[in-house]
Amino acid sequence: MKCTNHLALLFEIGVEEIPSGYFDDAVRSIHAEAAGLLKECGWAFDALTVDTTPRRFVIHASGFHRLSVEEEEKLGPLKEQAYENGQATAALKGFLKNVNQTERDVEWNETPRGSRACVRVAKEPKPLRYFFETLPKMIHFPKTMRWEPNRYPFTRPVRWTFAFVGPKKQTYRIGDVTSAGFTFGHRLLSPKKLKVRSSDFEAFKRLLGKHHVILNAEERIQRIKQILKNVRDDDRALVHTIAHMVEEPFGIGGSFDRRYLQLPVPILTTCMSKYQRMFAQYDSKEHLENRFVAVINGPRANVRSIAKNYESVLRSRLEDARFFFTEDQKSKLESKVDGLKKMMFLGALGSYYDKTKRLEVLTEFLGKELGATPEAIRHVKRAAHLSKADLTSHLVSEFPELQGIAGSEYARLEGEALAVSKAIQDHYLPGSLSEDFQALKKRLHLEGALLGICDRMDLLVGAQGLGIELTSSEDPYALRRAAGSIVKIVRAMGLRFSMDRLGRMSRDQFGSLMTKSQAELSKKLVPFFKERIVYELRVKAGTKEFDLLQGIFESGSDDVAEVYQKFSVLSADLENDSFLRACKVMERTGNILKGVREKITGHVEPSLFQSPLEQRLFDLVHQEAPVIQKLLDEEKYSHATRHYGDVFYQPIHDFFDQVMVNVEDPKVRTNRQSLVKSVNQICARGVADLSHVVPHRSDI
């Protein structure tokens, strides 16, 4: 029951500056964990917001209210052990004493072992401080460290924290930091303590705003866009990055010598954006100008001096880039491929030259699997051959962020096909797993997508073959990013192929270097890809969408694009009556099959039928299975599922209500189990195991 006085919770964790790339995952993990932790403390909320700046996490829960006291069942001794000659035994008395109950509170529950004493007791919630002290440990960061003096695990040292529920200040500790009632403004422009008096979120935001802190990241993004006036698609990722580097965006402008405009635009702009966090400026005809805009953290009086510092550092960068770019062109990109023989790939897995040869085979295989044209396959094989050559170049040695970009430019200048030069650069996309798949679709072409998938599959198979294990905080070879990039590319491009077949082909290319069997690799890789698909779709555990996705995984398809397609259409049906009936059919048939220990062949023998309902269900399967299969062949997953629910809902209920499946006669029992399985598999095999999605409506 909710309180009537509309409480709110406000919780801040103040830290040393956190890298900008750490926030997206961190915010998602807070949203994923907060409700469950608060429930353990006996609290819930109507809405939760998580705001961040480089120095803080702020969690605000509106409609904060206590939950009704939950009851839990406590099981005691069996009935024959609870009483002797009509009197309670020591076993029953001891049980009741431990749970602080009396004999009047005892109920009797039927269990597999027999009837047992049972009492219902109020479940004692954890203190609210448990939430404040536990949530920080559950925030996901790419890298977590332990900080002195008490070795507290966090990505950066915690410096201050407070929490209020309404006007009441909360008491707790995070590491060696005790909660207080203050916050801080901008580190340089307002470094003094600021008093916080309650959980009034709007008042808190106004307080920070007066002290040069814009709490909401989206507001900072909009402020940066106002500074830039025109934000290009290529700049959106940089805008997002800088918004998580500053607490109050402030723009300054500068310029550089026009002679550097002779550098290829991608090289020049990458030097500006990746290394100096500058935004290149263009004229009305989209021609690059010798100007830039930089965004700094808060307004300054000495703007011109800061701009000159930016100009000086950029000049040095561009001069180096121009020199190395000129030096690299003294030899062809093709001639640089041999240099890859001296560069090792994951140590025991040979050189980057060996990797290049594997990629040539993989890209041709995947191109044929996808039905690509011979020209596209020829281009992607050529791109695979040249894809890593720029790793041996002077420019990439000095500027690692230019790998792919440098190779693409050298290939273009040497007359390679446009599809080849573009694929060399694009196979590194996406630049970030936070990039929207629709935006990626606009930037990516088929050849780059194929090469990008094969490059990452080679890494994943190689790393897993070596037995490289991931931990929750460590991923030194960026395997999560590799798998996440594959599933994002597939989603963006809608590429239909068997991930298992590609994995097998990848394993075969390693030859004797690979010590793991394909079965062992699949056991590692399949759950890994599933986890990344869940991440890509942003579905949360405990939701119907999450349950639906698990059911789709159970169908056994290793075509990731098909998984996305099924999820897209079926998630729109989650409240549809016919769909919910299908879920109920799957739930009831699945429950019967779960309890079967012996193998069910699936063969149904009509001569063993003892009830007309068996024959009716058998005839219905043979009549409707081809209809549903035709819909599945046409990829009409929603139509197939709803038709399945409408057709089988009432017959399967009638069957279970009037026919005992698990009878004593083993032949009849097995036959009925096979009949149930035949109903179940129509949907489970072709669409999803919808028993994961349990309908809660009473009218279904």
Side-chain angles (χ1 to χ4, degrees):
M1 184 177 295
K2 297 184 182 181
C3 294
T4 56
N5 57 341
H6 303 296
L7 286 174
L9 174 145
L10 184 62
F11 174 31
E12 181 179 56
I13 307 168
V15 293
E16 294 286 353
E17 278 87 348
I18 294 175
S20 62
Y22 283 26
F23 287 101
D24 289 341
D25 271 0
V27 169
R28 275 190 286 271
S29 64
I30 292 172
H31 277 291
E33 303 293 347
L37 288 176
L38 283 170
K39 185 178 180 181
E40 291 184 60
C41 301
W43 291 85
F45 52 80
D46 293 339
L48 185 81
T49 60
V50 181
D51 288 294
T52 64
T53 78
R55 302 178 67 210
R56 73 195 76 225
F57 290 93
V58 175
I59 295 97
H60 173 248
S62 59
F64 196 61
H65 58 275
R66 287 190 182 276
L67 293 170
S68 300
V69 176
E70 289 188 2
E71 289 187 336
E72 58 181 336
E73 290 184 346
K74 298 284 188 179
L75 291 176
L78 293 167
K79 201 166 191 176
E80 55 267 27
Q81 297 170 343
Y83 288 96
E84 185 175 346
N85 298 324
Q87 299 296 316
T89 63
L92 178 60
K93 290 178 180 178
F95 164 67
L96 293 174
K97 182 178 180 181
N98 286 337
V99 295
N100 196 28
Q101 301 288 302
T102 68
E103 284 188 64
R104 292 192 301 272
D105 301 311
V106 173
E107 300 173 358
W108 297 99
N109 275 12
E110 293 301 323
T111 73
R113 293 179 56 197
S115 186
R116 290 185 66 177
C118 171
V119 295
R120 299 179 183 276
V121 298
K123 189 176 181 181
E124 188 70 27
K126 295 176 180 175
L128 192 53
R129 65 180 296 161
Y130 172 79
F131 169 75
F132 303 121
E133 294 177 347
T134 305
L135 181 64
K137 298 176 183 178
M138 303 181 79
I139 300 176
H140 184 268
F141 298 109
K143 188 175 183 180
T144 298
M145 293 178 276
R146 293 187 176 274
W147 300 97
E148 299 296 348
N150 65 356
R151 307 285 293 163
Y152 187 78
F154 210 68
T155 189
R156 292 294 186 272
V158 176
R159 294 306 188 201
W160 78 89
T161 183
F162 75 80
F164 283 87
V165 174
K168 186 174 181 181
K169 184 170 64 175
Q170 305 297 303
T171 302
Y172 57 92
R173 287 177 65 84
I174 300 178
D176 62 335
V177 177
T178 302
S179 60
F182 59 81
T183 185
F184 288 91
H186 191 285
R187 182 172 61 86
L188 299 176
L189 303 177
S190 183
K192 294 181 180 179
K193 291 180 180 179
L194 306 174
K195 184 74 173 177
V196 181
R197 302 183 184 280
S198 74
S199 62
D200 187 330
F201 189 45
E202 294 303 319
F204 178 66
K205 287 196 294 184
R206 288 194 298 271
L207 174 67
L208 291 180
K210 290 177 183 178
H211 294 271
H212 301 284
V213 175
I214 299 174
L215 179 58
N216 183 264
E218 186 56 38
E219 289 183 30
R220 298 197 299 274
I221 287 173
Q222 294 306 317
R223 180 75 66 90
I224 294 171
K225 289 180 176 179
Q226 291 171 8
I227 292 169
L228 298 176
K229 296 183 173 62
N230 179 32
V231 179
R232 299 165 59 86
D233 287 343
D234 292 345
D235 289 334
R236 295 188 186 280
L238 182 57
V239 169
H240 182 84
T241 297
I242 292 178
H244 287 93
M245 294 176 64
V246 300
E247 293 194 307
E248 184 182 38
F250 183 78
I252 58 173
S255 61
F256 55 89
D257 197 306
R258 294 187 62 84
R259 63 189 173 130
Y260 295 119
L261 293 175
Q262 297 172 4
L263 282 168
V265 170
I267 292 177
L268 200 158
T269 56
T270 300
C271 286
M272 295 168 68
S273 63
K274 295 292 185 183
Y275 292 97
Q276 302 305 125
R277 311 293 189 194
M278 298 173 178
F279 294 91
Q281 299 297 289
Y282 296 79
D283 64 20
S284 59
K285 296 182 179 179
E286 289 296 295
H287 294 147
L288 185 66
E289 296 187 319
N290 62 322
R291 299 183 298 111
F292 66 83
V293 171
V295 177
I296 62 174
N297 191 15
R300 301 287 196 282
N302 56 337
V303 171
R304 188 57 205 149
S305 174
I306 295 172
K308 283 187 174 295
N309 289 337
Y310 271 95
E311 291 171 348
S312 176
V313 175
L314 179 60
R315 182 169 58 251
S316 298
R317 287 282 186 182
L318 294 182
E319 187 59 36
D320 287 345
R322 190 169 70 118
F323 171 77
F324 291 126
F325 180 69
T326 302
E327 285 296 302
D328 284 337
Q329 290 182 85
K330 292 178 180 179
S331 61
K332 296 286 188 181
L333 191 61
E334 174 71 50
S335 69
K336 294 179 173 63
V337 175
D338 263 2
L340 294 172
K341 294 176 180 177
K342 300 176 183 178
M343 299 181 67
M344 301 309 294
F345 173 70
L346 292 186
L349 296 180
S351 66
Y352 269 89
Y353 181 84
D354 299 323
K355 179 181 176 71
T356 295
K357 292 302 176 186
R358 293 195 298 270
L359 290 181
E360 291 177 38
V361 175
L362 280 182
T363 51
E364 180 176 17
F365 170 81
L366 184 55
K368 290 179 178 178
E369 288 282 292
L370 291 166
T373 65
E375 182 182 43
I377 293 173
R378 186 171 68 253
H379 285 156
V380 75
K381 276 191 70 177
R382 179 62 177 167
H385 178 70
L386 299 174
S387 61
K388 305 301 178 184
D390 65 357
L391 296 179
T392 68
S393 69
H394 298 295
L395 189 59
V396 172
S397 294
E398 182 68 19
F399 301 99
E401 292 282 356
L402 287 173
Q403 57 187 282
I405 295 171
S408 177
E409 287 301 316
Y410 296 146
R412 181 183 63 82
L413 292 170
E414 292 170 12
E416 295 285 350
L418 179 61
V420 173
S421 64
K422 185 161 178 51
I424 292 172
Q425 178 173 340
D426 287 357
H427 87 280
Y428 286 102
L429 295 177
S432 165
L433 293 185
S434 63
E435 180 175 353
D436 180 71
F437 77 99
Q438 296 283 14
L440 178 63
K441 183 177 182 179
K442 295 177 182 178
R443 302 171 61 193
L444 197 55
H445 291 80
L446 178 63
E447 292 84 355
L450 296 187
L451 182 52
I453 289 171
C454 292
D455 182 28
R456 288 156 175 122
M457 182 62 81
D458 180 80
L459 168 63
L460 289 167
V461 171
Q464 296 291 352
L466 286 179
I468 294 174
E469 297 289 342
L470 293 173
T471 67
S472 58
S473 60
E474 298 294 330
D475 185 8
Y477 298 101
L479 302 185
R480 287 190 185 90
R481 178 171 176 174
S485 295
I486 289 177
V487 300
K488 187 181 288 289
I489 292 170
V490 171
R491 187 183 186 193
M493 304 295 288
L495 302 176
R496 303 294 298 268
F497 65 94
S498 164
M499 196 72 76
D500 182 66
R501 281 173 57 81
L502 182 62
R504 288 175 182 275
M505 177 59 73
S506 179
R507 179 191 176 279
D508 291 346
Q509 302 317 302
F510 286 98
S512 60
L513 295 174
M514 187 60 57
T515 58
K516 295 272 177 99
S517 69
Q518 182 60 40
E520 291 174 308
L521 285 176
S522 294
K523 190 175 180 180
K524 292 280 188 181
L525 289 174
V526 170
F528 197 45
F529 279 117
K530 288 180 179 178
E531 173 199 315
R532 294 292 89 191
I533 292 171
V534 170
Y535 178 89
E536 170 64 23
L537 289 171
R538 305 292 191 260
V539 294
K540 298 178 181 178
T543 64
K544 286 185 178 180
E545 288 78 10
F546 181 85
D547 295 339
L548 171 63
L549 188 55
Q550 300 310 306
I552 294 171
F553 288 150
E554 291 294 326
S555 71
S557 174
D558 68 337
D559 181 339
V560 174
E562 182 181 87
V563 170
Y564 285 133
Q565 186 180 356
K566 287 180 179 178
F567 181 80
S568 176
V569 297
L570 296 181
S571 59
D573 278 348
L574 284 171
E575 298 302 324
N576 177 274
D577 287 347
S578 298
F579 177 83
L580 293 175
R581 282 193 280 268
C583 294
K584 199 66 181 176
V585 173
M586 295 293 292
E587 180 189 17
R588 295 203 69 178
T589 56
N591 286 341
I592 287 290
L593 298 173
K594 284 177 187 174
V596 180
R597 295 181 180 178
E598 60 271 14
K599 185 177 180 180
I600 306 174
T601 63
H603 173 71
V604 181
E605 180 51 62
S607 64
L608 293 173
F609 291 162
Q610 297 178 348
S611 166
L613 290 175
E614 293 177 274
Q615 185 67 52
R616 178 190 174 195
L617 196 57
F618 179 77
D619 292 341
L620 199 59
V621 169
H622 281 265
Q623 173 186 320
E624 297 297 337
V627 176
I628 294 172
Q629 187 58 52
K630 185 175 185 296
L631 291 171
L632 294 177
D633 292 341
E634 296 169 355
E635 298 186 348
K636 296 179 179 178
Y637 301 114
S638 177
H639 289 82
T641 305
R642 284 184 280 170
H643 182 72
Y644 174 82
D646 289 338
V647 167
F648 285 101
Y649 178 75
Q650 194 58 52
I652 203 69
H653 277 61
D654 293 342
F655 178 82
F656 284 132
D657 289 346
Q658 300 179 48
V659 177
M660 175 68 72
V661 175
N662 294 322
V663 293
E664 289 294 328
D665 188 323
K667 289 184 178 181
V668 174
R669 182 177 66 246
T670 301
N671 201 55
R672 288 177 177 174
Q673 290 169 348
S674 294
L675 180 59
V676 170
K677 183 177 181 179
S678 69
V679 175
N680 180 276
Q681 289 299 293
I682 292 173
C683 190
R685 185 178 59 249
V687 184
D689 181 357
L690 298 178
S691 65
H692 288 264
V693 186
V694 180
H696 295 291
R697 282 172 42 187
S698 59
D699 58 333
I700 295 298

